[in-house]
Amino acid sequence: MPSDLWCLIFLSVGAYFVTCRLIAKFRDVFVRANLFGIDLCKSTGAEVPEAVGVLCGCVYLVCMFLFIPARFGQDFIQQKENFPHHELVEYITALLGVTCILLLGFADDVLDVPWRVKLLLPAIAALPILLVYYATFDTTFVMVPKPLHPVLGQSLDLGWGYYLYMGMVVVFSTNAINILAGINGLECGQSVVIAISVLIFNSVEVFMGEVSTHPHMFSIHLLLPFIATSAALLRYNWYPAQVFVGDTFCYFSGMLFATVGILGHFSKTLLLFFIPQVINFVYSVPQVFRFVPCPRHRLPRYNKVTNNIEMSTVRFKESDLKFLGRASVSILESLGLLAVTRNLGENKDFIECNNFTLVNLVLKFFGPMHEQSTTIIILLIQLLCSCVAFAIRYPLARLFYDV
Ligand code: UD1
Ligand code: MG
């Protein structure tokens, strides 16, 4: 194993302990600064520090800055003439993206940024990454599956469409983690599972692959300290949560995944590790795009008597829905994916259905459960989906592509 990787492992272990210490020391400071939220799935009503992901992000950045001399120092001394400038540019740009998104996430936690801005800003923060991709790699070809070779040829050049697609990957990944949220340990837990899965994928490519290993090594360098700092945050965010990660962390982790996917040249494979997030997003579409009313919080409802959580619901007049709203309710209901109760209210003209999230869907199928069990089940689903991702990426892809 290269010596710089040992150095990074050492730095990451240090980052884990530093993050733990910082969270323990500063969580009260967050509450005093009015940065706290109420844990809606508890009866205590305690004030839990919010946006603590910012500490995790800061330790991550410091760790990555300290790693620069270890990663590039030897290259600089030994081959000053042929110094790999493009690799340093990629590295610095990735850190720039992370810094920008930490700023946006923290602003969102403090100021509650409107949804349109939330969608737009990650796309702007992604511009430097896309420009570096353009300057260093600029491959916009996608391989065509074997059965379609006679029609489309072996590969298809998507041109600027590929850049549009990568911009959408950034917007999707930053928001996808934020909307699969609301129960202790979920935001951070899913990020850790995705990061470890991507790390395993990169390691397989580096140690067993035949193509260029540099992009995968780059991804490993970015992921190791992320896993360490997120594991520390998860320790405090696990049930019963002592801190909330905030949108700061959700955006930070989403941006990091998008960055390693784009600059590591595996943005399509990356999406395979986001299967639960894709399902949650597709299921959420009727509420996110307001075809059906969307309350401020869609997280499950806490039942004080049983100490379990159950599906949260939204109540509205069916006649107020437009065509798309009605269609989504009836299609999901007929597929058995939505619990609907009709004829409610004095005039029997209200209906009630569960909020359209994967967490509520899990509670619909498994019944009311303890909060911690729900988190564990969703993380197991995430793990299972990672196994499916590996099956698609390796055995199945070999059937359809020349890889
Ligand atoms: C997103 C979701 C929202 C969900 C919220 C919970 C969409 C469109 N938005 O909104 O439905 O309710 O995340 O994270 O899907 N909280 C807990 N327990 C937890 C985590 C959070 O009770 O384990 C509560 C706390 O009150 C916390 C608040 O959620 O203060 C944070 O919500 P915030 O991240 O601001 O919500 P959004 O990201 O806007
Ligand atoms: Mg959030």
Side-chain angles (χ1 to χ4, degrees):
M1 204 158 52
S3 59
D4 58 351
L5 202 54
W6 279 116
C7 173
L8 187 62
I9 292 173
F10 178 73
L11 277 173
S12 302
V13 173
Y16 172 83
F17 289 109
V18 171
T19 313
C20 284
R21 227 184 122 61
L22 280 181
I23 295 175
K25 200 158 184 252
F26 283 98
R27 56 185 174 189
D28 296 338
V29 177
F30 280 73
V31 179
R32 265 184 266 135
N34 262 346
L35 265 175
F36 62 82
I38 306 296
D39 197 331
L40 301 171
C41 294
K42 309 281 181 305
S43 53
T44 54
E47 296 170 346
V48 180
E50 180 73 270
V52 175
V54 73
L55 293 178
C56 172
C58 290
V59 176
Y60 175 82
L61 283 177
V62 171
C63 185
M64 295 308 286
F65 292 156
L66 291 177
F67 179 57
I68 293 178
R71 168 69 184 81
F72 294 99
Q74 228 170 13
D75 281 335
F76 188 69
I77 295 164
Q78 286 173 1
Q79 41 171 353
K80 217 169 170 183
E81 306 295 303
N82 290 322
F83 183 78
H85 286 102
H86 64 283
E87 289 180 16
L88 181 61
V89 168
E90 278 176 355
Y91 193 93
I92 302 279
T93 314
L95 298 189
L96 176 68
V98 167
T99 314
C100 288
I101 214 74
L102 276 178
L103 186 64
L104 163 69
F106 199 61
D108 190 13
D109 279 323
V110 177
L111 307 170
D112 256 332
V113 174
W115 266 98
R116 269 163 298 144
V117 182
K118 284 191 198 201
L119 287 183
L120 198 66
L121 286 186
I124 294 175
L127 278 179
I129 295 165
L130 297 186
L131 285 174
V132 168
Y133 181 87
Y134 178 73
T136 56
F137 195 59
D138 193 27
T139 295
T140 52
F141 286 97
V142 286
M143 278 158 76
V144 173
K146 279 179 197 164
L148 297 177
H149 279 186
V151 191
L152 297 171
Q154 292 207 338
S155 59
L156 201 62
D157 188 4
L158 298 182
W160 61 267
Y162 196 76
Y163 285 88
L164 192 69
Y165 153 76
M166 287 190 291
M168 281 159 63
V169 167
V170 176
V171 174
F172 171 75
S173 59
T174 44
N175 286 288
I177 293 174
N178 189 29
I179 65 169
L180 182 52
I183 51 174
N184 294 176
L186 186 56
E187 295 103 318
C188 207
Q190 62 184 300
S191 304
V192 171
V193 176
I194 297 174
I196 294 178
S197 309
V198 177
L199 184 76
I200 294 173
F201 165 67
N202 294 141
S203 309
V204 171
E205 290 293 310
V206 166
F207 297 108
M208 290 182 220
E210 289 126 38
V211 285
S212 157
T213 59
H214 160 70
H216 292 284
M217 210 59 200
F218 166 80
S219 171
I220 292 176
H221 288 161
L222 288 183
L223 286 175
L224 274 175
F226 174 76
I227 293 172
T229 49
S230 307
L233 185 57
L234 182 59
R235 194 176 136 185
Y236 287 88
N237 182 236
W238 192 253
Y239 182 92
Q242 300 173 45
V243 301
F244 286 146
V245 301
D247 293 349
T248 315
F249 177 80
C250 299
Y251 293 165
F252 163 43
S253 69
M255 186 68 170
L256 194 81
F257 293 134
T259 307
V260 296
I262 292 170
L263 295 182
H265 313 154
F266 60 93
S267 60
K268 283 158 277 143
T269 305
L270 176 79
L271 287 183
L272 292 178
F273 295 105
F274 273 79
I275 296 173
Q277 286 69 22
V278 171
I279 295 173
N280 184 52
F281 175 74
V282 173
Y283 188 49
S284 293
V285 161
Q287 283 195 313
V288 169
F289 292 102
R290 301 293 191 271
F291 305 148
V292 170
C294 180
R296 167 69 184 90
H297 281 293
R298 304 192 297 158
L299 50 81
R301 185 183 297 144
Y302 176 65
N303 186 330
K304 250 193 235 170
V305 182
T306 56
N307 192 30
N308 282 337
I309 54 171
E310 44 200 50
M311 286 184 289
S312 61
T313 52
V314 55
R315 190 185 264 238
F316 51 88
K317 271 188 184 170
E318 200 165 10
S319 55
D320 286 347
L321 294 185
K322 303 230 164 58
F323 172 72
L324 286 173
R326 265 179 228 209
S328 27
V329 169
S330 57
I331 292 172
L332 288 171
E333 188 186 9
S334 58
L335 291 173
L337 298 175
L338 197 69
V340 186
T341 320
R342 289 199 162 76
N343 303 325
L344 297 167
E346 255 175 44
N347 298 327
K348 304 220 174 294
D349 53 354
F350 275 86
I351 74 166
E352 197 170 82
C353 57
N354 63 281
N355 281 308
F356 300 54
T357 67
L358 184 63
V359 185
N360 283 319
L361 198 59
V362 165
L363 291 168
K364 175 181 176 340
F365 287 124
F366 289 84
M369 252 188 296
H370 191 265
E371 185 177 356
Q372 184 175 325
S373 316
T374 318
T375 308
I376 292 175
I377 287 186
I378 297 177
L379 294 185
L380 285 176
I381 294 175
Q382 185 85 50
L383 206 64
L384 192 75
C385 289
S386 287
C387 299
V388 172
F390 278 109
I392 296 176
R393 178 61 182 78
Y394 290 110
L396 279 182
R398 288 209 174 98
L399 281 180
F400 291 101
Y401 298 96
D402 298 315
V403 286

